[in-house]
């Protein structure tokens, strides 16, 4: 079988660690040429080194997705290295915790700026080129938190992740005639460095609430992305794919007994 993303030029944001790093590695292992973008250039370079060790092709790039000029420069860099951008994975995101009473306006703005405005800037920077080439795949990393569930301390985060989906649906309509699709993956609890700070008790209780009994791995998100980036998904746009081990299914804790 021909690899699904063979030779496709792919930009992955927030790819210096966690889910983004794994998306970059999985796509590169499938033959994609990957621009590994992150706020932290050293982290992006470390991902590139891992991809190269595995025999893949990748280039590191520093970009803060909340800055329009950075998003434009990132897409420009991918264009100059690869000649096109076939796939954008807008994955960068932050999830600081603060209850509404303790949340400052600055904290609200920062989360919206990275998670929501960052998606707007990345899509805006790449969509004209995808329209010109009459093909493209845009993938967003949303979350179950916001679109489907809530969690105390993450009102700003949940609003940003739900907001991404509203943006996505209108974007899907704007680009449908150009053979450019835009879809979102909604991960549940995925085992990444980002979850290190939440502590073992949180992780144990979280596992107990997941019907499949364990947290997801970053590969579970990357494989869903790979499908949505594939030719086989060409007729899917403006949709969400939940990757959560069944976490959002139980009506109550009784359903898990
Ligand atoms: P992570 O391990 O913290 O990785 C996120 C990466 O994004 C980091 O390398 C981070 O760099 C980078 N980043 C942060 N702000 C950025 C910015 N302004 N511009 C560019 N890059 C930036 O997080 P993760 O768990 O892999 O999460 C990745 C995505 O999945 C996020 O959108 C998150 O909301 C979503 N998600 C995660 C889970 C989960 O369980 N892990 C569940 C649902 C959704 P620094 O480290 O230098 O800040």
């Amino acid at each position: 079988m021909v690899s699904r993303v063979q030779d496709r030029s792919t930009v992955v944001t927030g790819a210096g660690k966690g889910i983004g790093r794994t998306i970059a590695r999985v796509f590169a292992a499938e033959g994609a040429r990957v621009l590994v973008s992150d706020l932290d250039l050293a982290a992006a370079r470390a991902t590139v080194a891992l991809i190269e060790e595995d025999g893949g092709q990748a280039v590191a790039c520093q970009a803060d997705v909340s800055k329009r000029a950075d998003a434009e420069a990132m897409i420009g860099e991918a264009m100059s290295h690869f000649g096109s951008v076939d796939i954008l994975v807008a994955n960068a995101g932050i999830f600081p915790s603060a209850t509404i009473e303790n949340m400052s306006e600055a904290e609200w703005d920062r989360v919206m700026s990275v998670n929501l405005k960052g998606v707007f800037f990345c899509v805006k920077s790449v969509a004209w080129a995808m329209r010109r080439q009459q093909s493209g795949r845009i993938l967003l990393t949303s979350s179950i938190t916001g679109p489907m569930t809530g969690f105390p301390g993450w009102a700003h985060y949940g609003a940003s992740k739900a907001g991404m989906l509203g943006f996505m649906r209108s974007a899907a309509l704007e680009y449908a005639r150009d053979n450019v699709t835009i879809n979102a993956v909604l991960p549940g609890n995925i085992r990444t460095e980002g979850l290190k700070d939440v502590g073992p008790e949180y992780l144990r209780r979280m596992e107990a609430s997941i019907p499949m009994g364990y947290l997801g791995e970053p590969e579970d998100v990357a494989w869903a992305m790979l499908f949505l980036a594939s030719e086989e998904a060409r007729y899917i746009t403006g949709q969400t794919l939940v990757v959560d081990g069944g976490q959002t299914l139980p009506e109550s804790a009784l359903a898990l007994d």
Side-chain angles (χ1 to χ4, degrees):
M1 188 181 116
V2 176
S3 178
R4 283 177 277 194
V5 292
Q6 184 71 47
D7 296 326
R8 299 278 199 89
S9 156
T10 303
V11 173
V12 185
T13 70
K17 63 180 184 189
I19 293 172
R21 168 174 281 179
T22 299
I23 293 168
R25 293 186 72 181
V26 165
F27 274 60
E30 291 284 323
R33 297 169 295 157
V34 183
L35 189 90
V36 173
S37 177
D38 201 273
L39 195 55
D40 178 352
L41 183 59
R45 286 188 174 138
T47 301
V48 168
L50 291 169
I51 289 172
E52 287 175 346
E53 268 173 37
D54 294 341
Q57 285 184 66
V59 177
C61 167
Q62 195 278 333
D64 178 345
V65 296
S66 68
K67 296 187 176 144
R68 183 174 170 181
D70 279 24
E72 287 173 354
M74 171 183 81
I75 298 302
E77 231 179 283
M79 293 283 190
S80 66
H81 279 289
F82 307 133
S84 67
V85 178
D86 303 311
I87 301 162
L88 165 71
V89 185
N91 165 80
I94 55 172
F95 32 94
S97 178
T99 59
I100 293 165
E101 281 175 31
N102 294 319
M103 192 184 293
S104 67
E105 188 177 344
E107 282 172 306
W108 172 273
D109 286 346
R110 181 72 193 139
V111 168
M112 289 298 160
S113 191
V114 175
N115 296 3
L116 189 53
K117 199 160 68 170
V119 166
F120 164 55
F121 285 157
C122 291
V123 172
K124 187 176 173 65
S125 301
V126 81
W128 65 270
M130 290 181 169
R131 171 170 276 162
R132 197 180 58 184
Q133 72 202 20
Q134 287 290 292
S135 70
R137 294 276 191 276
I138 298 173
L139 305 163
L140 312 181
T141 309
S142 177
S143 176
I144 58 169
T145 312
M148 303 182 74
T149 64
F151 202 93
W154 278 343
H156 49 358
Y157 175 78
S160 73
K161 292 294 175 178
M164 284 166 64
L165 302 185
F167 173 86
M168 172 189 77
R169 292 183 183 110
S170 292
L173 292 174
E174 289 188 26
Y175 295 103
R177 294 282 165 93
D178 300 303
N179 189 30
V180 176
T181 65
I182 174 163
N183 293 289
V185 172
L186 278 58
N189 279 268
I190 307 297
R191 199 181 293 280
T192 63
E193 297 97 318
L195 274 187
K196 238 180 359 206
D197 299 339
V198 301
E201 178 56 18
Y202 173 93
L203 292 178
R204 195 193 57 72
R205 289 174 63 189
M206 194 53 74
E207 277 174 350
S209 74
I210 300 172
M212 293 184 83
Y214 56 91
L215 269 70
E217 297 296 332
E219 283 79 1
D220 294 310
V221 179
W223 291 328
M225 296 275 186
L226 196 59
F227 166 65
L228 290 169
S230 72
E231 183 57 18
E232 290 86 342
R234 67 185 180 186
Y235 204 51
I236 300 172
T237 194
Q239 302 303 313
T240 56
L241 183 48
V242 178
V243 179
D244 73 346
Q247 190 177 344
T248 49
L249 290 178
E251 195 165 281
S252 74
L254 283 176
L256 292 173
D257 285 347

